Amino acid sequence: MAACRQSTLDLLENLTTSEFRQQSHADFSPVGWHLGHIAFTESLWLLEYLKEDPCPYPDYQRLFAADGLPKAERENLPNLSEILAFMQAIRDRTLAYLETAPLYDQLRLWRWVLQHESQHAETATYVLAMHRWSQRAAQPRKMVPNSRRQPGPTSASKQNMVLIPGGAFEMGSSTLDALDNERPSHRVSISDYWLDCTPVTVADYAAFMAAGGYQNSQWWHPEGWAWIQKQHITQPLYWQDPLTVWPEMPVCGVSWYEADAYSCFVGKRLPTEAEWERAAHWQPQQDCMQTYPWGDTPLTAKRGNFGGNQDGVTPVGAYPDGRSATGCDDLLGNVWEWTNTWFAGYPDFVPYPYQGYSQTYFDGTHRVLRGGSWATRPWVLRSTFRNWYQPWIQQVFSGFRCALSA
């Protein structure tokens, strides 16, 4: 808990007043709200629910509750020093309770609170990135040509892909750390498929842009085409020209619509969530599931780009120690990866710790992302973890890899 909190506080280095208090996008709360919400949630579940102590900060209940205020009204915040004092006061009470708490009866909820902070710290990182990227985006930079020619492969290339045998396997998790939407572990069966060894790179995506990908409706889902026309989208949010950055960086800041359009352009498709998990979780030699892509050895900085260690994306394939048993790199960390699956509960889903934590988003409008990003904290980095956003969202550190049915 101390390590997780320090990684949260590290976000405050060089934080400006506007970055702390203001929204960077209508769908995201200010950084300061996320800090207060982290402490509010810790108090709600560990002190009020488990210890049965009354809320020590009743004035913050509506401000920092997840369902308290619309995001646009969350800019009316106490100052940073007050919120930091609030966080510390709650943490002091939490650690005092930890001395006497029946921890092994409560451990799932304590672990959930740890993961909750990790998730909100990453969302705060997105908010900071949007604030700071808007300043960079205003500077002149070389643009990729917008040709209207319509090339594109007549058949998909299997170069840089691996063939993954299908079959039945256990999907999801029933471990203590697993969130409600990861549970329960259940049997699924899929067919043989090909999967990209790495996420799609800046150089790959630049070819799509140069070929007029954003001007040609044939590659796009109809809703995606309507979206780019209405929003005047011509490139990923965090786009960097491959002539000015390492071209083997994964493309970052793409919506599901953009990932789907690129996949169509190269004659492929996005993987299903089950295909992604089998690639990241399955050990073909022993025909069994393993904790991480590389096995059951604990997560270390040699295995991938996560936890803010590199403060941004790194070239694909830079962590061979993190390669999966199925032959894929960068399955955990670097960029979240879109799948072709709608976010929904697994069979026999049971909400935890409250009804709306995941279930609110089982609405048929959110697509599943897998794998984590460079900013994902280690406490939520695992092969079964599920993230979810609407298909038009570019603001997360999202990329993708392509699949092909065998």
Side-chain angles (χ1 to χ4, degrees):
M1 291 182 77
C4 181
R5 177 55 51 85
Q6 187 57 54
S7 70
T8 301
L9 297 178
D10 288 344
L11 295 174
L12 307 183
E13 187 176 353
N14 302 318
L15 186 72
T16 67
T17 301
S18 61
E19 289 171 348
F20 165 74
R21 190 174 295 278
Q22 293 177 7
Q23 284 184 284
S24 57
H25 186 277
D27 290 336
F28 293 82
S29 302
V31 169
W33 183 88
H34 286 284
L35 298 175
H37 177 69
I38 286 168
F40 170 83
T41 302
E42 182 175 316
S43 173
L44 176 66
W45 290 105
L46 300 184
L47 299 178
E48 297 169 51
Y49 178 74
L50 292 181
K51 192 170 184 285
E52 299 183 344
D53 273 357
C55 176
Y57 292 87
D59 293 345
Y60 286 165
Q61 284 185 294
R62 185 161 183 261
L63 175 59
F64 292 126
D67 57 355
L69 291 173
K71 290 183 174 67
E73 297 178 26
R74 294 175 179 177
E75 295 185 333
N76 300 316
L77 296 165
N79 61 42
L80 177 58
S81 61
E82 290 179 75
I83 290 185
L84 290 176
F86 170 48
M87 296 177 75
Q88 188 59 53
I90 296 300
R91 178 49 57 90
D92 289 344
R93 291 165 62 99
T94 296
L95 295 180
Y97 175 49
L98 181 59
E99 295 297 321
T100 59
L103 185 61
Y104 291 100
D105 296 332
Q106 304 174 348
L107 192 53
R108 185 182 178 193
L109 190 54
W110 285 79
R111 298 289 293 180
W112 180 87
V113 167
L114 177 69
Q115 295 185 73
H116 175 270
E117 176 164 347
S118 301
Q119 290 173 278
H120 278 275
E122 179 165 357
T123 304
T125 310
Y126 303 155
V127 176
L128 284 174
M130 285 183 268
H131 277 300
R132 294 166 184 176
W133 190 264
S134 63
Q135 300 168 11
R136 290 182 59 182
Q139 300 172 0
R141 64 187 190 275
K142 181 179 176 63
M143 300 297 291
V144 173
N146 280 330
S147 166
R148 289 187 177 271
R149 59 193 176 88
Q150 300 179 13
T154 55
S155 62
S157 168
K158 296 186 181 70
Q159 185 178 0
N160 195 39
M161 300 187 85
V162 291
L163 178 63
I164 300 178
F169 69 101
E170 288 294 315
M171 184 173 176
S173 174
S174 298
T175 64
L176 186 71
D177 279 340
L179 303 183
D180 61 359
N181 61 71
E182 294 173 71
R183 292 169 172 247
S185 176
H186 58 288
R187 199 80 170 159
V188 299
S189 185
I190 59 176
S191 301
D192 299 355
Y193 63 102
W194 294 84
L195 188 67
D196 285 351
C197 296
T198 65
V200 169
T201 66
V202 168
D204 296 330
Y205 201 84
F208 169 65
M209 294 171 65
Y214 283 84
Q215 290 77 42
N216 189 341
S217 64
Q218 79 177 92
W219 312 119
W220 293 82
H221 186 288
E223 292 176 6
W225 182 249
W227 170 71
I228 67 167
Q229 300 300 300
K230 181 178 180 180
Q231 301 297 328
H232 307 291
I233 304 295
T234 60
Q235 60 188 28
L237 179 61
Y238 305 117
W239 178 251
Q240 298 184 73
D241 191 288
L243 297 179
T244 63
V245 299
W246 190 273
E248 293 306 306
M249 295 289 194
V251 64
C252 184
V254 291
S255 66
W256 182 91
Y257 290 136
E258 291 165 294
D260 179 66
Y262 174 91
S263 300
C264 291
F265 172 74
V266 296
K268 302 179 185 179
R269 59 173 174 81
L270 292 174
T272 66
E273 183 180 17
E275 288 172 336
W276 191 98
E277 185 167 320
R278 184 168 174 85
H281 206 32
W282 182 55
Q283 166 50 263
Q285 282 74 36
Q286 280 109 37
D287 191 23
C288 66
M289 306 308 285
Q290 52 192 23
T291 308
Y292 300 108
W294 54 86
D296 297 317
T297 306
L299 184 67
T300 68
K302 292 179 62 179
R303 302 288 187 180
N305 177 15
F306 63 89
N309 294 334
Q310 302 297 329
D311 199 29
V313 294
T314 49
V316 300
Y319 294 88
D321 287 347
R323 184 168 297 143
S324 74
T326 53
C328 296
D329 288 313
D330 294 285
L331 284 165
L332 292 187
N334 225 2
V335 288
W336 287 100
E337 298 182 18
W338 288 106
T339 73
N340 203 34
T341 300
W342 293 107
F343 185 56
Y346 289 155
D348 301 320
F349 168 83
V350 177
Y352 181 88
Y354 60 93
Q355 193 77 21
Y357 175 66
S358 296
Q359 200 163 359
T360 298
Y361 304 97
F362 298 163
D363 57 3
T365 68
H366 293 75
R367 294 281 187 178
V368 174
L369 301 99
R370 289 300 202 102
S373 77
W374 62 264
T376 303
R377 274 47 178 180
W379 302 280
V380 294
L381 201 66
R382 54 182 174 269
S383 301
T384 58
F385 189 88
R386 308 170 78 198
N387 197 357
W388 63 90
Y389 277 99
Q390 296 101 330
W392 58 84
I393 292 294
Q394 293 181 301
Q395 287 72 27
V396 302
F397 302 140
S398 51
F400 63 102
R401 70 181 74 213
C402 299
L404 197 60
S405 299

